[in-house]
Amino acid sequence: MPTLALFLKQAMHTQAPIIKTIAIAGGGFAGTTLARAIQNRLRAGWQVVLVSEESYTTFNPMLAEVVGAAIFPEHVIVPIREIVPATRFIMGRVQHVDTAMQVLVCSTLAGPLEIAFDHLVLAFGQRANLSIIPGLAEYALPLKLVGDAMHIRNQLLQRLAHMELVSDEHRRRSLGHFVVIGGGFSGVEVAGAIADFIRSARRSYRRVNADELRISLLHDTDCLLPELPARLGKVAASSLRLRGVDVRLGTRAARVDAHGVELDDGTWLAANTVVCTIGTSANPLVEQLAVKTLRGRIVTAPNGRVAGVPGLWAIGDCAATVNAADGRPCPPTAQFAIAQAEHLARNLIAHIDGRVTLAFRHRSRGMMATTGHHKGVAQVFGIALTGLPAWMLWRAYYLMRMPTPGRKLRIWVEWTWSLFFPADITHLRFTRTAGVDAPLDQRVPAHPAPIPKT
């Protein structure tokens, strides 16, 4: 019978098994779906490491619901650790990718961290580009993150409160004018949400008259929602106009400042609140990689690999992957990000096993947009829907995408509540103790601070 000393000596000479790593940079729809799809299919000796600077995934298509107070902000974010409990999650920002040494360098709460990888999947999406119109970065409110949605909602309430305190008619109408730039899905949905929200909230602001409130939606082509058939774009425009939204087609913003928007034809729109839903730019890491790009998106082979860089793959909004179903690059939507992630999971397993990988092929199931409570437009499997059926389908789809039964139930309860009761008009400033004595006009700036350049 071996002694304890002999057992320890043998254990010291036993080498630990080598663990190979699939690293995923990005915790959005694409990154989390890939981690969940591949985790249980990997052979022994492999691990998945997901790196994201946020600890949660944001359901971006539902941000307009947060602006309109239809649901609480915490209901459109899901902790990544809940989505992929079997995956090692590291909260950090990717700073550098050494493709030659296959090392990922990121900053974390504990300082710099290097992660060696055998395969790296880039799924970090894209950033907002606020440099496309002069003044946009300094004075407009982007809608990309849950913090953006809450800030816009707070601004709406702040404008109503401000209107009650001034008597100058021109000033009141400028405070009550809300301009949305962009007539795509986000622009249409947030315009409808703002219209519903301020109409409901006005009941509590008795010194504000209905005719002092106005929403303008600016779109530079002749039809809203260009991804959908023109007929549905026209239905969306009609629905918004019935809600009091001034839909301006073929209109481009030329300049934005603290007092309004100048259009390309010289028309001036006096408005203190401008919401921007257009413009994207590449993650700064893309420039480091020195890979081929298409409009800021990383060009990949049909199977998702980045040409010329062993072990590097890309999916989601940051990738320009050609869809074999139609021969065009995939649109940057959640539906395609999820489909790409599920397909890449199969391709990675096939590549590891030495089997042939397949080109990405996906037929769109449809697209949907809301134009306010009980109204929407949709095209699903070639069938066009409008009004209440489209709105219900939109909500049902995103409710089913939520990862846990508890979260589904909470959102369903909030949506049901909002059908029968006015919107919540709580203005959450998140004031800390150190700033509680600061003047109110210094706690909440009249317009957002410029976004620093990276």
Side-chain angles (χ1 to χ4, degrees):
M1 182 174 181
T3 64
L4 178 60
L6 179 60
F7 176 81
L8 293 174
K9 183 177 180 180
Q10 292 174 342
M12 290 175 63
H13 286 83
T14 302
Q15 293 184 348
I18 298 176
I19 302 296
K20 295 185 176 182
T21 299
I22 296 175
I24 303 171
F29 279 116
T32 55
T33 300
L34 174 62
R36 186 167 51 181
I38 201 173
Q39 183 64 66
N40 297 326
R41 301 181 186 181
L42 283 174
R43 292 177 178 271
W46 284 83
Q47 67 171 345
V48 177
V49 177
L50 192 153
V51 181
S52 173
E53 56 188 285
E54 297 290 355
S55 63
Y56 54 81
T57 292
T58 302
F59 277 58
N60 293 77
M62 298 174 69
L63 290 179
E65 298 282 289
V66 176
V67 173
I71 53 177
F72 290 122
E74 61 267 29
H75 292 166
V76 303
I77 56 177
V78 184
I80 292 175
R81 297 179 191 273
E82 283 187 9
I83 301 174
V84 286
T87 295
R88 184 188 177 193
F89 171 64
I90 296 176
M91 185 176 173
R93 173 178 292 181
V94 178
Q95 301 282 15
H96 178 68
V97 178
D98 189 332
T99 55
M101 298 298 296
Q102 293 193 312
V103 173
L104 192 68
V105 181
C106 55
S107 60
T108 72
L109 296 173
L113 177 67
E114 293 188 355
I115 303 170
F117 62 84
D118 296 272
H119 294 279
L120 171 62
V121 181
L122 304 177
F124 42 54
Q126 293 184 301
R127 304 288 182 87
N129 180 8
L130 299 180
S131 64
I132 57 178
I133 299 174
L136 207 61
E138 293 81 6
Y139 303 107
L141 308 176
L143 182 59
K144 289 286 186 183
L145 307 172
V146 67
D148 295 333
M150 282 302 298
H151 183 64
I152 293 171
R153 176 173 148 188
N154 283 345
Q155 286 287 80
L156 301 179
L157 293 171
Q158 185 185 3
R159 298 309 187 215
L160 295 176
H162 196 165
M163 289 177 69
E164 288 196 314
L165 299 174
V166 297
S167 57
D168 180 76
E169 181 179 351
H170 177 76
R171 180 67 175 145
R172 288 173 66 91
R173 292 193 178 278
S174 180
L175 288 166
H177 190 187
F178 309 97
V179 177
V180 178
I181 301 177
F185 288 102
S186 295
V188 166
E189 290 175 349
V190 77
I194 291 174
D196 286 336
F197 180 64
I198 62 173
R199 183 174 62 248
S200 176
R202 195 185 65 82
R203 303 172 188 174
S204 300
Y205 295 83
R206 299 181 180 180
R207 295 177 181 270
V208 177
N209 299 320
D211 61 358
E212 295 177 308
L213 299 175
R214 178 184 173 196
I215 305 99
S216 295
L217 176 61
L218 313 181
H219 188 55
D220 60 359
T221 67
D222 60 357
C223 191
L224 297 179
L225 303 171
E227 297 87 353
L228 290 174
R231 185 178 74 85
L232 293 180
K234 293 178 181 178
V235 171
S238 177
S239 178
L240 288 174
R241 287 183 176 119
L242 288 174
R243 283 179 140 70
V245 178
D246 178 18
V247 179
R248 294 182 175 230
L249 302 175
T251 303
R252 185 186 297 270
R255 180 177 63 89
V256 179
D257 68 18
H259 306 291
V261 180
E262 181 182 356
L263 306 183
D264 56 358
D265 63 359
T267 303
W268 176 255
L269 301 180
N272 287 100
T273 308
V274 179
V275 178
C276 175
T277 64
I278 62 172
T280 57
S281 63
N283 189 298
L285 278 172
V286 174
E287 295 182 4
Q288 287 186 21
L289 294 169
V291 296
K292 185 178 180 181
T293 61
L294 176 65
R295 297 178 182 175
R297 303 172 71 189
I298 301 169
V299 175
T300 74
N303 63 355
R305 293 193 67 173
V306 179
V309 187
L312 187 63
W313 312 71
I315 55 174
D317 293 2
C318 72
T321 302
V322 173
N323 182 8
D326 58 17
R328 295 182 293 180
C330 299
T333 63
Q335 177 188 164
F336 274 85
I338 291 170
Q340 283 180 285
E342 293 172 344
H343 181 80
L344 183 58
R346 295 189 290 270
N347 272 352
L348 277 169
I349 296 298
H351 178 79
I352 291 170
D353 292 344
R355 294 182 283 110
V356 176
T357 58
L358 302 176
F360 176 74
R361 181 185 298 272
H362 179 70
R363 292 286 183 185
S364 176
R365 299 173 183 173
M367 296 183 178
M368 301 171 284
T370 62
T371 56
H373 289 320
H374 305 155
K375 298 293 182 181
V377 293
Q379 185 179 42
V380 183
F381 297 113
I383 302 174
L385 299 172
T386 62
L388 181 61
W391 179 81
M392 294 179 66
L393 182 64
W394 185 95
R395 288 203 162 186
Y397 175 77
Y398 285 110
L399 185 64
M400 296 310 297
R401 295 303 312 179
M402 287 293 164
T404 62
R407 195 168 295 274
K408 287 183 176 72
L409 178 61
R410 288 199 295 269
I411 293 175
W412 179 80
V413 169
E414 287 302 321
W415 275 346
T416 304
W417 178 276
S418 67
L419 294 176
F420 304 102
F421 297 95
D424 186 351
I425 60 169
T426 304
H427 182 186
L428 297 175
R429 286 200 312 264
F430 299 103
T431 303
R432 298 181 61 192
T433 300
V436 72
D437 292 325
L440 186 61
D441 59 352
Q442 294 180 16
R443 291 191 211 164
V444 185
H447 53 76
I451 296 176
K453 296 182 179 180
T454 56

